[in-house]
């Protein structure tokens, strides 16, 4: 038991260090601890399946330990923000006020080609048009344009618009979505009234927004 615990702790810490040194681009959508735990759990869980001589407890115990580490590390980063950098990556500023930050690019191992490619994918071809380019913790890049390149908002143009909120699915492929109904504050009786005699089974998709707007697609309308 002690041997399993010690070996799991050692491998876990070594993998965190290794992935942390690899940088944010290799992390993708996961935090460092999430990625390490995912890799280890998937490997550990397969051991007793592929080798019948390995007791199932040799997989269950390390998985529980890893889950505990995840919970503890998440709690610690909330309670003690100063140690967050030990467990998670931090955003890196690659462009600031139209000027490339060479040190941050070297630390993040982002080449000029990759940076320009990211700008193009976000609709910018000139670095001078960018106020900030930030490589986020999940590996994605946030591009903030300068004010002169920003699309004017309705508020700036003094245009009054109605807040529609978001659309919620209330009928999905002929089945009532109870969660969606709850989100828009409707009962089944009220939904049937909105259908005006049409059968729920004949509806492929029905969505209702927070403001009450409806979008309905009947099965017979599908291509």
């Amino acid at each position: 038991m002690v041997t399993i615990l010690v070996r799991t702790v050692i491998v876990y810490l070594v993998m965190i260090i290794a992935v942390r040194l690899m940088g944010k681009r290799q992390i993708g959508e996961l935090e460092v601890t999430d990625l390490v735990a995912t890799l280890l759990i998937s490997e550990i869980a397969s051991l007793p399946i592929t080798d019948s001589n390995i007791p199932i407890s040799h997989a269950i115990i390390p998985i529980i330990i890893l889950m505990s580490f995840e919970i503890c590390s998440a709690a610690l980063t909330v309670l003690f923000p100063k140690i967050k950098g030990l467990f998670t990556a931090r955003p890196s500023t690659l462009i600031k006020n139209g000027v490339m930050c060479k040190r941050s690019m070297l630390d993040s191992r982002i080449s000029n080609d990759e940076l320009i490619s990211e700008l193009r994918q976000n609709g910018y071809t000139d670095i001078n048009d960018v106020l900030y380019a930030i490589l986020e913790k999940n590996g994605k890049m946030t591009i903030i344009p300068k004010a002169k390149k920003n699309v004017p908002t309705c508020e700036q143009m003094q245009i009054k618009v109605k807040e529609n909120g978001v659309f919620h699915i209330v009928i999905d492929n002929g089945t009532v979505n109870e969660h969606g109904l709850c989100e828009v504050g409707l009962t089944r009786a009220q939904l049937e009234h909105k259908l005006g005699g049409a059968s729920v089974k004949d509806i492929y998709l029905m969505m209702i927004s927070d403001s009450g707007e409806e979008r309905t697609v009947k099965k017979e309308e599908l291509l």
Side-chain angles (χ1 to χ4, degrees), residues 73-209:
S73 64
L76 286 172
T77 54
V78 172
L79 295 174
F80 306 101
K82 289 185 178 181
I83 70 171
K84 193 170 184 178
L86 299 175
F87 293 97
T88 63
R90 293 187 180 279
S92 300
T93 301
L94 305 180
I95 296 178
K96 183 176 182 180
N97 198 23
V99 180
M100 298 168 66
C101 303
K102 184 177 180 180
R103 181 53 187 261
S104 295
M105 291 181 63
L106 288 174
D107 291 343
S108 303
R109 290 188 291 285
I110 296 288
S111 68
N112 293 334
D113 284 342
E114 290 173 308
L115 178 59
I116 298 302
S117 175
E118 285 288 343
L119 295 182
R120 285 199 302 268
Q121 291 179 58
N122 283 272
Y124 303 99
T125 57
D126 191 343
I127 294 176
N128 292 326
D129 294 336
V130 178
L131 183 64
Y132 278 101
I134 302 172
L135 185 63
E136 304 292 357
K137 295 190 299 181
N138 61 4
K140 291 185 176 181
M141 195 175 296
T142 299
I143 310 296
I144 303 174
K146 290 183 177 179
K148 64 180 181 180
K149 290 295 180 178
N150 261 327
V151 177
T153 64
C154 292
E155 183 180 9
Q156 291 170 330
M157 299 178 69
Q158 298 183 346
I159 299 174
K160 292 184 178 180
V161 293
K162 181 182 177 182
E163 292 287 356
N164 292 321
V166 298
F167 278 88
H168 304 275
I169 297 177
V170 293
I171 298 179
D172 186 2
N173 197 17
T175 303
V176 176
N177 187 316
E178 298 292 346
H179 177 72
L181 273 183
C182 181
E183 287 293 315
V184 296
L186 291 178
T187 62
R188 274 182 172 262
Q190 292 171 320
L191 176 62
E192 291 174 359
H193 178 72
K194 284 182 174 294
L195 293 176
S199 173
V200 171
K201 293 183 178 181
D202 294 333
I203 306 298
Y204 180 72
L205 177 66
M206 182 176 183
M207 301 185 295
I208 301 178
S209 72

Side-chain angles (χ1 to χ4, degrees), residues 9-39:
V9 171
I10 293 174
V11 173
Y12 180 77
L13 294 176
V14 169
M15 290 196 68
I16 284 184
I17 295 172
V19 175
R20 187 70 179 87
L21 291 175
M22 287 172 65
K24 292 189 287 293
R25 294 181 58 212
Q26 282 72 28
I27 296 173
E29 296 294 331
L30 299 175
E31 293 283 5
V32 173
T33 52
D34 296 331
L35 178 59
V36 170
T38 301
L39 293 173

